[in-house]
Amino acid sequence: MKVIQYTEIVDEVSRICQEANFDLGEDVVNAFKESVKTETSEAGKSILNQLIENADIATSNRVPMCQDTGVSVFIVRLGQDCHITGGKLEDAINEGVRKGYDEGYLRYSIVDDPITRSNTGDNTPAVIHIELVEGDALDVQMSAKGGGAENMSAMKMLTPSAGLEGVKDFIMKTVREAGPNACPPLVVGIGIGGNFEVAPYLAKKSLFRPVGERHPDEGIAALEMELHESVNQLGIGPQGLGGNTTALDIKVETAPCHIAALPVAVNLNCHASRHKHFVI
Amino acid sequence: MSEIRIKVPFEPGAAEKLKSGDTVLLSGTIYTARDAAHKRMAEALERGEDLPVDLTGQVIYYVGPTPAKPDEVIGSAGPTTSSRMDAYTPALLAHGLKGMIGKGYRSREVTDAIQENKAVYMVAIGGTGALLARKITASKLVAYEDLGTEAIRRLEVEDFPCIVINDSAGNDFYESSQQSFAND
Ligand code: SF4
């Protein structure tokens, strides 16, 4: 059985929290560069170029690309043959967040209570999802998820007669209403199926797949491409100032569901699509 | 696209000259305020108290910057979503506020109040906080220190780039610019 030290997790989490905010993934930067070539609006092109420049400054100066350094969301795949020693896994992740956000001069964006709203002063607690998997590895994915795009996300319990058309309409409506608020160009994560709590989780999880990578299922991959094209016809464009780069990518995940249900969730991510990953 | 260089706070009558779609470069002084600071200002007004800053001719930037590193003036400092300030904005416009910088749509109440008070709503590019911070040359805390990133700060800016969305004539640049690219 593999033994993993609590402190090792703390250090790795701290590192990826900072890297997520300083180093925009190559997948996203490449998508910016590709979009500059196809964007029809001059203002849109100029915005995309500024996004590239902004990402450059963040990486070279070790400063966050965006002031909203987000909720720290973790998807952890914990091998059932690995043993964590020295403390609890959740505590290690939260301590890593505390350390990373402090050392990286990142913003504290979490309040302790949704009604009374006092800032916790260290960006904890993180949102942590743990899945138990085979093997002895600890696989941790982190996303710094900004509030602007999260606020424009939506979920709906459709019923089966709505069909795929109903699903598509809901997705288009959500992206249209988000407009500039979610900082387009977006990455749109979609969860279809499951139940009331599963669909949004699928949508969130889909955002962890690199931009440009298609779903392994051919049918879902085709749906992703079709939706991507439709979204880019909306005219919203970079920052909502018009253009054909409304989304950099669309991700779809599905799950079995009840005979009476057709849940659909749309989790929007802004262009600051910040994801990092480590495996111990 | 031509760029208009303009001084802030606005001289009397200057804000109303800006037109939807204009690219402007602001230089001078602006104030930061976002959700929590707006709530406090609204509460102060309700109690009949003075605001912590005189808003006459001023511009408020909706931003909650990251902490400055030891060698920096300010951390990352891009705009946050303006609509969350909609509920508080008409009252501030009535108290002399002339400009707002944020991102995203405004409510009908706000665009009406912008027209009525001959003010202007501008956006900066959301998610370019590292780039925009370079246009900020000084930052000083002026009120509500306990709110942390949400405190009110006075910023000195130089050629801070914005695009005018809602002008004093009632035009909306989001509407017109998106329409020209829509294909549905
Ligand atoms: S939506 Fe994204 S890019 Fe825009 S301000 Fe929020 S975190 Fe930054």
Side-chain angles (χ1 to χ4, degrees):
Chain A
M1 184 178 285
K2 186 195 272 178
V3 176
I4 299 175
Q5 299 293 332
Y6 177 94
T7 50
E8 194 179 347
I9 302 171
V10 172
D11 289 343
E12 283 295 277
V13 166
S14 162
R15 176 177 66 80
I16 62 170
C17 285
Q18 296 181 56
E19 286 178 0
N21 279 293
F22 302 156
D23 305 314
L24 193 57
E26 227 174 285
D27 57 331
V28 185
V29 177
N30 285 339
F32 290 159
K33 291 181 178 159
E34 284 308 307
S35 304
V36 176
K37 295 182 202 154
T38 53
E39 176 54 62
T40 45
S41 145
E42 282 310 311
K45 270 193 212 290
S46 151
I47 290 168
L48 290 164
N49 280 319
Q50 291 178 64
L51 299 185
I52 296 169
E53 190 187 349
N54 184 65
D56 259 10
I57 296 174
T59 291
S60 35
N61 295 3
R62 313 313 289 158
V63 294
M65 64 195 81
C66 180
Q67 77 291 333
D68 183 355
T69 53
V71 178
S72 313
V73 182
F74 292 85
I75 295 184
V76 179
R77 288 186 188 83
L78 177 63
Q80 54 193 7
D81 298 329
C82 105
H83 175 66
I84 294 161
T85 176
K88 269 174 61 184
L89 176 58
E90 281 97 333
D91 292 347
I93 292 174
N94 278 316
E95 196 174 325
V97 168
R98 209 169 286 130
K99 183 168 187 267
Y101 275 67
D102 175 43
E103 288 175 0
Y105 290 87
L106 306 181
R107 197 181 79 182
Y108 305 142
S109 311
I110 307 295
V111 291
D112 61 345
D113 180 283
I115 308 299
T116 55
R117 310 191 72 82
S118 156
N119 198 304
T120 60
D122 59 10
N123 219 53
T124 70
V127 173
I128 305 170
H129 304 284
I130 299 177
E131 298 174 6
L132 216 51
V133 297
E134 272 183 39
D136 65 356
L138 172 69
D139 179 311
V140 178
Q141 289 180 293
M142 184 266 178
S143 164
K145 190 71 174 72
E150 197 78 353
N151 272 352
M152 302 314 290
S153 301
M155 197 273 176
K156 186 142 180 94
M157 297 302 286
L158 296 174
T159 48
S161 68
L164 183 57
E165 280 317 301
V167 169
K168 287 181 191 168
D169 287 349
F170 180 67
I171 295 164
M172 290 304 146
K173 179 172 171 270
T174 304
V175 173
R176 194 180 292 118
E177 280 173 8
N181 295 22
C183 282
L186 308 170
V187 182
V188 184
I190 296 158
I192 311 172
N195 62 359
F196 189 72
E197 78 273 12
V198 168
Y201 181 53
L202 289 174
K204 173 75 77 220
K205 230 172 127 172
S206 77
L207 294 172
F208 283 78
R209 201 170 357 116
V211 169
E213 189 181 300
R214 293 276 60 79
H215 195 282
D217 179 282
E218 258 178 52
I220 299 177
L223 177 62
E224 290 178 341
M225 289 192 286
E226 183 197 329
L227 288 167
H228 193 182
E229 203 163 300
S230 313
V231 160
N232 281 346
Q233 306 262 318
L234 289 173
I236 295 168
Q239 292 295 301
L241 294 171
N244 60 357
T245 317
T246 300
L248 298 171
D249 205 358
I250 309 271
K251 307 292 191 192
V252 178
E253 293 293 334
T254 64
C257 63
H258 192 279
I259 48 175
L262 177 47
V264 51
V266 182
N267 195 193
L268 300 177
N269 209 356
C270 49
H271 59 76
S273 175
R274 295 157 288 186
H275 296 96
K276 293 290 167 198
H277 180 213
F278 72 83
V279 184
I280 302 179
Chain B
M1 219 183 292
S2 71
E3 293 171 332
I4 301 168
R5 284 206 149 75
I6 194 156
K7 268 202 157 43
V8 279
F10 287 119
E11 306 270 323
E16 71 184 284
K17 290 205 189 96
L18 296 175
K19 294 281 162 266
S20 166
D22 284 348
T23 299
V24 292
L25 298 172
L26 306 179
S27 295
T29 306
I30 59 178
Y31 288 94
T32 74
R34 46 171 292 156
D35 310 54
H38 273 77
K39 185 160 186 277
R40 281 205 192 164
M41 287 194 282
E43 286 164 357
L45 289 176
E46 257 169 44
R47 288 191 300 261
E49 294 167 12
D50 282 345
L51 294 174
V53 289
D54 175 8
L55 290 180
T56 312
Q58 298 291 351
V59 174
I60 288 182
Y61 181 20
Y62 304 141
V63 58
T66 58
K69 291 209 265 184
D71 54 338
E72 290 173 345
V73 166
I74 196 166
S76 220
T80 192
T81 311
S82 309
S83 57
R84 296 196 314 273
M85 271 51 81
D86 281 355
Y88 311 112
T89 300
L92 299 184
L93 288 166
H95 274 79
L97 179 69
K98 283 291 177 212
M100 296 142 291
I101 308 167
K103 67 171 168 103
Y105 300 128
R106 303 310 305 255
S107 68
R108 187 59 201 266
E109 289 72 27
V110 172
T111 56
D112 284 352
I114 286 171
Q115 267 186 275
E116 219 169 281
N117 294 286
K118 307 218 175 312
V120 65
Y121 169 55
M122 302 166 277
V123 295
I125 297 180
T128 58
L131 188 60
L132 289 168
R134 298 193 156 181
K135 308 292 181 188
I136 300 169
T137 55
S139 164
K140 190 173 182 302
L141 198 116
V142 293
Y144 308 152
E145 182 172 8
D146 61 300
L147 295 180
T149 183
E150 296 206 61
I152 297 182
R153 292 176 173 79
R154 183 189 302 118
L155 305 182
E156 301 296 327
V157 294
E158 231 175 271
D159 286 340
F160 190 90
C162 297
I163 297 158
V164 176
I165 300 292
N166 297 106
D167 63 21
S168 58
N171 299 304
D172 183 330
F173 188 56
Y174 280 136
E175 212 174 274
S176 53
S177 61
Q178 289 182 16
Q179 257 163 21
S180 51
F181 290 92
N183 222 347
D184 60 339

